[in-house]
Amino acid sequence: MPPVFAHGALRLYLLALLETGPKHGYELIKALGDRFGGTYSPSAGTIYPRLGKLEEEGLVATETEGRRTKYSITAAGRAELDSRRQELADVEDNISASVRRLADSLRADIRANMRGLRADLAATAEAARTSASAATFRSRTAGHTPEGQRILKEAEMLVQSFRDDIRVELRQHGASQPLTPLALETVRTVLDQARISIRNSLQD
């Protein structure tokens, strides 16, 4: 896939983002991710070296706030931005094109991944149904006996544990970077297929 930013374009766009007000590095990364609609998020290793270079050139100033650094555009930075407004407009156009390109690529990846995921889930569900069929008689004869209640309680605990574990992982991930559309679609598909498989096994 072609690079998201042409040579020097990210540097110019960072100045444009800082023109709206001082920002921390994380805020700049988030602003870029938002501009791309979640289809692209630059890494810290991409952003901070460019900010350091802008500071060396006197186009950006820094201010320390606790353990974080806030970046702001200088008068020289504004002057360069003013002299390159047409280039900035071209960068905006290229970003719009990149968003469309990345979205198309993302949709293709989602479709391919979902096909493979559905096949895996179908195979897993079939294996689960085969195993469950062998235990059907035992489960039905258990009924409301202590053994039947124990099995039901264990199943409920497994569902609760799965829910809690996934929520923790999602929140930990969301604290460092936004959830991608592909990840969201994967979660939705997996849960839908799991629901269907579990419901089918209960009806056997």
Side-chain angles (χ1 to χ4, degrees), residues 12-23 27-28 31-32 81:
L12 182 62
Y13 200 69
L14 287 173
L15 286 176
L17 289 174
L18 290 173
E19 186 181 28
T20 62
K23 292 178 177 62
E27 292 174 313
L28 290 168
L32 278 163
L81 202 55

Side-chain angles (χ1 to χ4, degrees), residues 127-183:
R129 281 194 294 272
T130 300
S131 176
S133 295
T136 298
F137 178 75
R138 292 195 303 273
S139 298
R140 287 175 177 170
T141 55
H144 297 289
T145 64
E147 176 64 10
Q149 292 299 312
R150 183 194 68 77
I151 292 174
L152 175 61
K153 186 66 175 178
E154 183 176 350
E156 292 175 345
M157 290 179 64
L158 287 171
V159 171
Q160 183 64 42
S161 177
F162 175 82
R163 174 181 177 274
D164 293 343
D165 289 347
I166 294 301
R167 288 187 67 182
V168 168
E169 291 190 24
L170 287 173
R171 289 177 179 178
Q172 288 176 341
H173 179 86
S176 60
Q177 56 183 305
L179 193 70
T180 66
L182 176 58

Side-chain angles (χ1 to χ4, degrees), residues 39-180:
T39 59
Y40 165 77
S41 181
S43 66
T46 297
I47 295 300
Y48 286 106
R50 284 171 172 78
L51 289 171
K53 183 65 174 176
L54 288 170
E55 183 182 10
E56 289 177 8
E57 295 174 2
L59 305 179
V60 163
T62 60
E63 178 184 354
T64 301
E65 293 184 341
R67 298 178 61 181
R68 299 199 299 176
T69 300
K70 179 172 282 189
Y71 300 86
S72 58
I73 192 169
T74 64
R78 292 182 185 278
E80 173 158 341
L81 202 55
D82 287 339
S83 69
R84 301 176 63 186
R85 291 293 175 184
Q86 183 54 54
E87 289 182 58
L88 181 59
D90 293 339
V91 170
E92 282 286 2
D93 290 341
N94 289 336
I95 288 177
S96 297
S98 292
V99 170
R100 290 192 295 271
R101 185 178 70 247
L102 289 167
D104 289 343
S105 176
L106 182 61
R107 280 192 291 270
D109 288 344
I110 288 174
R111 286 193 293 269
N113 288 338
M114 289 306 100
R115 283 195 296 270
L117 180 60
R118 289 189 182 99
D120 290 342
L121 287 171
T124 301
E126 181 60 30
R129 281 194 294 272
T130 300
S131 176
S133 295
T136 298
F137 178 75
R138 292 195 303 273
S139 298
R140 287 175 177 170
T141 55
H144 297 289
T145 64
E147 176 64 10
Q149 292 299 312
R150 183 194 68 77
I151 292 174
L152 175 61
K153 186 66 175 178
E154 183 176 350
E156 292 175 345
M157 290 179 64
L158 287 171
V159 171
Q160 183 64 42
S161 177
F162 175 82
R163 174 181 177 274
D164 293 343
D165 289 347
I166 294 301
R167 288 187 67 182
V168 168
E169 291 190 24
L170 287 173
R171 289 177 179 178
Q172 288 176 341
H173 179 86
S176 60
Q177 56 183 305
L179 193 70
T180 66

